[in-house]
Structure formats: C-alpha cells, structure tokens
Amino acid sequence: MSKRLSPSDSPRPSRLLGTLKALVRTRITAGLLTSLPIIITIWLVWVVFCWLRDASLWMVNVLLLSPWGRGALEYWGITHEQLTAEGLKALPPMLQWGISLFCVVCTFALLYLIGLFAANVIGRRMLELVDQIAARMPFVKTIYGALRQIFGLFASDHPQAFQRVALVPFPNELTRSVAFITNTFRDAETGEELCAAFIATTPNPTTGFVFILRRSDIVEVNWSVEEAVKVVMSGGILSPSYVTMLTGGRALMPTPPVASGVHPTGPSSSEPRP
C-alpha cells in the first residue's frame, strides 16, 4: 500500500520564488504609477497641439493647392492627388513639423485677432447681431444662449463663483460630499439664501450632479479648487492635511479640551445631582 502524504509532507512553494514574484509585482506597479502621469500629460499636450494645428491647416491646404503651391509640390516630388489623399503625411517629416508649428502660430494669431475685433465697438455690434439672429432660431437659441452664459462667466468679473468648496449632504443626511458652489440666490417667497452646488464624480471630475441647497445645509471649507479636484480624482487619497469648516458663513467654534472626569459645562458626571 502506498503511504499517504500528510499535510506537513506536501510540497511547499519556494519562498524565494514568492519573494521574486512580489518584487516583480512591486516594481511593475511602481513603474506604471511613475509612467502614467507622464504618458497622460504627453497625450493631452498632443491632443491640444493637434486641435490648434487643424484649426489653421485649411489655410496651408489652400496655399499648397494654389499655383505657387503646386510649384512647391513639384519641387518636393509630390502630386496633387497624393496631397489630397494623404494630407501632411505626403510631405517630408521635417516639412510636416514646420507646417504644424506654423499652423499653431496662425491659430494663436487668429484667436488674438478675434479677441481684438470683439473688444472694439464694431465687433460688439456684430456679436449683438449674431445674438439676435441666434435668438430667433428655435433650436439654436437654447444651445447658443446656454453656451454664451457659461463661457461668459469665465470672461466676466465673477470668477469667485467657482472658487468656493463646500461639503454638502449627499447622498443622505448622514454623509457629506465635496462640492463646488457655482451660484447663490434667494427664494422668491421666503427670501432664504440658496446655493447651486456641483458635485463632481470620482475619478472624472468633469461629470457630476447639480443640486439646489439651502445655505444653512452647506458646510464650506477653506480648500482651493485645485485641492478639491485632487481630492475627487484621487478618491480622497490626496486630501489636504488641514481644513477649517464654515457653517452658514460663520466658523465653527473649536471644542475646548475636556479634563478627565470633568464635564465641560458642569461638575463631574460621577457627582450626584441635587
């Protein structure tokens, strides 16, 4: 009869192999956490660069398809059909980068000219005419009007509306969520002060919920918007080490230290009451 192995006689995994697995897993995780911010930053910069380049690329295409541009294409050995089908990829690499940088500079110059035009009297009159035309179009007026109001907040003198961070009762009265106060107004009937609060989702702070809450239900904190965004994106890991809460616009009074066996407002609880 074969001898049955006891649990103590069963083969055990090598301790060295387990150590190597843990070390490899730790190093891979550290490398991933180190490289991801760099990769995401490069990707975002590249996306913005492509947007700025494509905004003025049409001018380069018109120039290359002109009689002068066709001569340049012949000099580079590129046909009209290749340029139409492949775009910038049909050009030499150095020329691609040169045209891309030129398009980015043209986009900034175009934005500057638009801002300069919108700042003078004629530009303001033209914008008012565009607003009047858009207001008469049933579907366009809703989208255009909302976008004009939203982007107008960034260009106006009211940036403070986005510089207030608070804790609001969500999803129930026993918990508090990080929110951004975007507007304040009063109830038309009672005159009570109300606040519009934007509660961002984790880890994507560009989506969330908008609630109308009483001012008395909101607890403001002295965090900046950047610090609050870090809290939301990190799930609370990157929370600031300091916080000062305000309730109804007034600071909460700190609780005085309580000595052992002494009630904060009276004698010791062990003493008999009269």
Side-chain angles (χ1 to χ4, degrees):
M1 295 178 63
S2 60
K3 183 179 179 181
R4 183 175 299 179
L5 295 176
S6 62
S8 59
D9 297 333
S10 59
R12 296 181 179 179
S14 174
R15 182 175 301 178
L16 178 61
L17 181 60
T19 304
L20 289 177
K21 288 182 178 180
L23 182 62
V24 171
R25 189 185 307 113
T26 303
R27 293 296 182 264
I28 292 178
T29 303
L32 184 64
L33 295 178
T34 303
S35 60
L36 274 181
I38 301 175
I39 295 174
I40 294 175
T41 302
I42 295 175
W43 177 76
L44 289 177
V45 172
W46 174 251
V47 169
V48 174
F49 178 83
C50 291
W51 287 347
L52 296 174
R53 179 200 63 189
D54 296 341
S56 300
L57 189 58
W58 61 273
M59 294 189 299
V60 177
N61 291 332
V62 171
L63 183 62
L64 291 177
L65 295 178
S66 63
W68 180 88
R70 291 181 180 180
L73 292 178
E74 293 177 359
Y75 176 78
W76 295 324
I78 301 172
T79 62
H80 178 273
E81 290 75 13
Q82 289 179 340
L83 181 64
T84 305
E86 301 179 16
L88 288 179
K89 295 181 180 180
L91 301 176
M94 293 299 297
L95 192 58
Q96 293 180 25
W97 281 105
I99 292 178
S100 299
L101 294 175
F102 175 75
C103 291
V104 171
V105 174
C106 289
T107 300
F108 280 112
L110 183 61
L111 292 175
Y112 175 80
L113 293 177
I114 293 175
L116 185 64
F117 176 76
N120 56 39
V121 179
I122 300 177
R124 287 195 294 267
R125 298 299 182 188
M126 292 292 294
L127 290 178
E128 291 177 359
L129 180 61
V130 173
D131 293 341
Q132 293 176 3
I133 296 175
R136 297 179 180 179
M137 305 178 69
F139 182 71
V140 176
K141 67 178 182 180
T142 303
I143 302 177
Y144 179 77
L147 292 177
R148 283 280 293 173
Q149 292 179 358
I150 293 174
F151 287 103
L153 290 175
F154 294 96
S156 63
D157 297 329
H158 303 287
Q160 294 82 3
F162 298 92
Q163 299 298 322
R164 299 165 61 187
V165 182
L167 303 179
V168 300
F170 179 80
N172 52 56
E173 294 292 338
L174 300 179
T175 59
R176 292 294 183 270
S177 298
V178 179
F180 302 91
I181 307 302
T182 58
N183 196 7
T184 57
F185 42 88
R186 293 189 177 276
D187 191 305
E189 298 293 335
T190 63
E192 184 179 10
E193 187 177 5
L194 305 175
C195 294
F198 172 70
I199 303 176
T201 56
T202 301
N204 181 16
T206 60
T207 61
F209 309 92
V210 177
F211 293 99
I212 305 300
L213 303 171
R214 294 184 178 90
R215 180 66 183 82
S216 57
D217 295 335
I218 294 177
V219 178
E220 290 192 29
V221 295
N222 60 337
W223 294 347
S224 64
V225 174
E226 291 78 9
E227 292 172 335
V229 170
K230 291 180 181 179
V231 172
V232 174
M233 295 182 64
S234 65
I237 298 177
L238 300 179
S239 300
S241 58
Y242 63 92
V243 59
T244 299
M245 295 187 178
L246 304 175
T247 302
R250 294 173 298 177
L252 292 176
M253 297 300 295
T255 303
V258 180
S260 177
V262 178
H263 195 273
T265 59
S268 174
S269 57
S270 61
E271 297 180 3
R273 295 184 177 180

